[in-house]
Structure formats: structure tokens, C-alpha cells
Amino acid sequence: MRSAARARTAIAPIVFGLLVLALWQLLVLGLRIQPFVLPGPVAIGQQFGLRSPFILQAAVITALNALVGLAIGTVVAVVGAVLAAAVRVLDELSTWIVTALSVVPIVALAPVLYTMFGASVQTARVLIAAIAVFVPVYVTTLRGLRTVLPIHRDLMRAYAATSWQATRAVTLPGAIPYFFTGLRIASSLAVISALVAEYFGGPFTGLGKSITSAVSSSNFPLAWAFVLGAILTGLVFYLVTLALEVVATRHR
């Protein structure tokens, strides 16, 4: 019964997706929708197959920027959350900073960073991804560090455990699920942020620049093929993060 349930869980989204694609194609053909409005999935798939080397090359560049930004943002967020959980003054001081970072528009930030670091390097895209990653990882990790069951805290006191022993045995393990929740959210945000940042300047590489280039040449199926490459890149980031969570929490 468990195998049947797992099979249904895996097959149901695939069947639903195929039905949506079939309906999409029928609507495009039946209503004679022009490619500049919405190309059909067949045309997109053909462009994806023909231009797969170029799509892969652009996806690798965007993925590298997102990965570096994800790593930087995660490290800074975890360190900041640990310090904020330990020192209340830092928590109160950082609240407004984190709130401000959460509402910073990429559209306004990207040109400023390109001016600061130059439009010939990927630094601005990495920093934008790191800023987008920082907020969810910081918030969820800080909440996890503060979420300690009273019974666990009392048990540590009964054993006369030191502050470090209580942190290592109770606080940090309890914060791991919260951390991975933020990391899963941040993994998708990193790809989206790096992709959007490519629209506003920088080197003529990456999926964002490829999409704008295809649109400017009126090759709309190719533009959607690059969008498909961006979707697959985001899915890879999410699935890898999910796999890391499963491995890290398999004993819980």
C-alpha cells in the first residue's frame, strides 16, 4: 500500500502536467494564438532541443551566480542569527536592517551595484542573490534557535549542563528544520534574483540576457525555451536543497 501511495504521489503531478501541456497546445492551435502572445509547447520544445547547448551554457552561468550568492547569504544569515539569538541588543538593532533588506527592489538595486562594481563582472548579480537569500535564512534560523521546548530546557538544567552543552544538545538540533525551511525558500530566490538582475545590465551572459536577446529578435519560442531552462535550474536548486535536508534530518 505504501508503494502504491508513493506511485500515485509521483505519477499524479506528471499526468496533470501532460494534460496541461496538451490543453495548452490545443488552445494555441484552435484559437490561432500568435507566437508573440503565447507560443505552443511543441514550438518551445523544438527550440529547447535545437538550442540546448546555448541554453545549458546560459543556465550554468546563472546557476553559478545563484550558487555563490546562496552560499554567501546563507553563511552571513546563520552567523547573524546565532549572534542575534545570543545577544538581545544585536537582535533589536538588526530587526530594522533585516526588514529593510526584505523590501529592497531588485529593479532599483541592480543598476546601483553595476555602477559600483562595474558592468563587466558578475559581482552585482552575486550580491543581489546573496541579499535575497539572507532574509529567509536569517528569519527562519533565528526562530529555530529561539524555539526550545521548556521540557528540554528544564532537562538540561537538571543535568547541570553548561550553556554550550545545552546549545549543542538542544538548541542547534532543534533549529536545523527551521534552517532548512529557509534554505529551501532561499534556493529558489537565489536563482530568481540572479536571473532578474541580468535584465538590468552586466555581461551579456546568463539566462536573463538570453531571454531579452531572443525577445528583441522576435524569436518568442526561443525566449520561452530559455524560460524553461530557468525553471529547470530553479528545480535543480530546490531538489538539491531538499536532498540535503533529508540527509541531515534522517535520524529525527
Side-chain angles (χ1 to χ4, degrees):
M1 294 182 63
R2 288 184 178 179
S3 300
R6 291 176 180 176
R8 286 196 300 270
T9 303
I11 293 174
I14 297 175
V15 173
F16 179 75
L18 293 176
L19 290 176
V20 170
L21 291 176
L23 180 61
W24 178 359
Q25 184 66 31
L26 290 175
L27 289 175
V28 169
L29 295 176
L31 300 178
R32 297 182 180 180
I33 300 176
Q34 296 299 317
F36 66 87
V37 177
L38 181 65
V42 173
I44 296 172
Q46 289 175 347
Q47 289 294 324
F48 188 85
L50 292 174
R51 304 297 182 90
S52 56
F54 301 100
I55 296 174
L56 179 61
Q57 182 180 4
V60 167
I61 294 172
T62 301
L64 286 176
N65 291 332
L67 181 61
V68 176
L70 180 63
I72 295 174
T74 300
V75 171
V76 175
V78 171
V79 172
V82 171
L83 293 176
V87 183
R88 180 171 294 275
V89 175
L90 292 178
D91 181 24
E92 295 175 354
L93 292 175
S94 63
T95 300
W96 295 106
I97 298 175
V98 176
T99 304
L101 288 176
S102 65
V103 297
V104 170
I106 299 175
V107 177
L109 186 61
V112 175
L113 292 179
Y114 283 128
T115 303
M116 293 173 59
F117 298 99
S120 60
V121 295
Q122 306 283 355
T123 307
R125 299 171 181 176
V126 172
L127 289 178
I128 289 173
I131 292 172
V133 166
F134 173 82
V135 176
V137 176
Y138 176 88
V139 172
T140 54
T141 303
L142 181 58
R143 182 175 181 180
L145 292 173
R146 289 175 172 172
T147 306
V148 179
L149 295 177
I151 188 173
H152 293 163
R153 188 183 298 110
D154 294 340
L155 180 63
M156 290 295 101
R157 291 174 180 172
Y159 283 131
T162 63
S163 177
W164 166 243
Q165 289 173 334
T167 300
R168 185 181 60 183
V170 174
T171 307
L172 293 180
I176 288 178
Y178 292 86
F179 164 74
F180 276 107
T181 298
L183 189 62
R184 276 191 280 112
I185 298 171
S187 63
S188 300
L189 286 177
V191 177
I192 295 172
S193 302
L195 180 68
V196 173
E198 294 171 357
Y199 283 97
F200 303 99
F204 288 91
T205 54
L207 291 168
K209 284 293 185 181
S210 300
I211 293 172
T212 55
S213 177
V215 171
S216 63
S217 61
S218 299
N219 194 343
F220 300 102
L222 178 59
W224 278 86
F226 280 110
V227 171
L228 178 58
I231 294 172
L232 295 176
T233 303
L235 285 175
V236 169
F237 269 66
Y238 181 85
L239 292 176
V240 170
T241 306
L242 182 61
L244 291 175
E245 180 181 6
V246 171
V247 172
T249 61
R250 65 185 184 276
H251 296 303
R252 294 185 60 85

